[in-house]
Amino acid sequence: MVFAPEERLKKRMQKDGSVLKYMYSTAGTGLRLAAGGLLLFFAGILLYIVLMSANGTMALMLGAVTAIPGGLMCVGGLILQNNQMSKWLDVWEEKTGLSRADILQADREFKQSGTVLLAFEKGMDSSSLKKMGFLTEHYLKMPGIAPYLYRMEDMVACFYTDQFVGEDGKDTCAFVAYSTDKTTPYIQISAKQEPSEEIVKTLERCNPMLITTHFFACEGRRFDAVKSFEEVIDLHNQILERRMKQEAERT
């Protein structure tokens, strides 16, 4: 689905003024460790309460053996998570290949009017919001946990297909997108058709050069935009270069 968020929702999605930092916080070993430790801690307390009437000493020992490690895990997980969060900008740089200036600019543009959110499933809880994609004037963040952030002008292909070959060798549905950088394409397996096509149409309006079909013909050749994505990128760059040269000659 594609929708324009209210200002209240946009502010909710900005941690310390950054939507990308907010979205980065959805994953992390620290959070999982802290959550596991908290469960263990409360399990120890519950164990103590249940056994206290039968044998106070035994209840205290078993409760402590369970609760203390849980408490240490929880504290350690929070420390680890804080350390991970302090490096959120470095991670976005490393994973996306974009400069720090681009990442910060995408954050700034998110706050401006005209921003739309992108998602394959409906959901407004905190977990769903952190997995949202968004489109600003110049940047595109794809839905999901993984940090796929692109300059919109660099996008080459974005399409829904029901002929994506899965790991089992059978055709399945998928949403595929990639840019000029030739890194691993963004692929959402089992994506639903309606929200996928809505996202594709929205992106196509922003970038008319976008390839929006899995299979297509161009300049006497047929292309598979999944298997031959690097060739498709080369084709895109060649056409773009020719157009820019023609425009320069006309001026």
Side-chain angles (χ1 to χ4, degrees):
M1 61 179 180
V2 179
F3 67 99
E6 297 179 353
E7 286 302 315
R8 182 172 58 181
L9 180 59
K10 288 171 68 175
K11 289 180 180 179
R12 179 183 167 191
M13 295 176 67
Q14 296 172 58
K15 182 180 179 65
D16 300 329
S18 168
V19 65
L20 295 176
K21 183 176 182 180
Y22 173 79
M23 290 176 169
Y24 175 67
S25 68
T26 191
T29 305
L31 280 180
R32 292 192 292 270
L33 185 62
L38 193 61
L39 287 174
L40 197 60
F41 177 77
F42 283 118
I45 294 177
L46 183 61
L47 189 62
Y48 170 73
I49 293 172
V50 171
L51 297 178
M52 183 175 58
S53 58
N55 188 323
T57 302
M58 182 63 69
L60 182 61
M61 290 178 58
L62 291 177
V65 167
T66 306
I68 291 175
L72 293 175
M73 283 176 58
C74 186
V75 172
L78 292 175
I79 293 173
L80 178 59
Q81 181 66 13
N82 287 335
N83 183 53
Q84 290 175 327
M85 288 304 299
S86 68
K87 300 176 181 178
W88 72 272
L89 191 50
D90 295 328
V91 173
W92 278 96
E93 276 189 281
E94 178 185 352
K95 298 296 185 181
T96 65
L98 296 179
S99 67
R100 182 162 298 207
D102 274 313
I103 294 167
L104 295 177
Q105 180 61 24
D107 252 331
R108 286 191 289 268
E109 289 190 9
F110 179 84
K111 302 173 185 178
Q112 299 171 3
S113 61
T115 296
V116 296
L117 296 179
L118 315 172
F120 296 112
E121 303 284 348
K122 294 181 179 179
M124 292 297 164
D125 58 282
S126 180
S127 178
S128 297
L129 291 176
K130 289 179 180 181
K131 297 174 185 176
M132 287 276 185
F134 64 78
L135 175 65
T136 68
E137 183 178 3
H138 299 105
Y139 296 90
L140 167 66
K141 190 270 177 184
M142 286 299 186
I145 296 176
Y148 281 93
L149 179 69
Y150 305 99
R151 284 187 294 263
M152 193 60 213
E153 64 181 14
D154 294 338
M155 292 303 297
V156 174
C158 179
F159 55 89
Y160 169 84
T161 178
D162 58 4
Q163 298 181 58
F164 184 88
V165 181
E167 293 182 356
D168 59 0
K170 298 179 180 179
D171 286 349
T172 186
C173 299
F175 178 94
V176 182
Y178 49 85
S179 70
T180 56
D181 62 8
K182 292 189 178 181
T183 55
T184 304
Y186 169 88
I187 301 173
Q188 185 73 27
I189 301 294
S190 301
K192 295 181 179 178
Q193 183 172 2
E194 185 175 347
S196 296
E197 292 182 345
E198 186 180 7
I199 292 174
V200 171
K201 289 178 182 178
T202 300
L203 301 186
E204 187 178 18
R205 287 195 291 269
C206 298
N207 184 347
M209 281 193 66
L210 202 63
I211 294 165
T212 58
T213 57
H214 185 167
F215 303 99
F216 66 97
C218 182
E219 299 184 345
R221 296 178 58 194
R222 292 190 60 81
F223 292 88
D224 179 331
V226 175
K227 293 182 179 179
S228 306
F229 80 94
E230 291 188 349
E231 293 181 25
V232 173
I233 292 172
D234 290 337
L235 173 67
H236 170 275
N237 292 339
Q238 291 167 12
I239 293 174
L240 182 60
E241 185 177 351
R242 286 202 298 265
R243 289 186 180 182
M244 292 176 64
K245 185 176 181 180
Q246 291 170 356
E247 290 179 3
E249 290 174 351
R250 283 197 295 269
T251 58

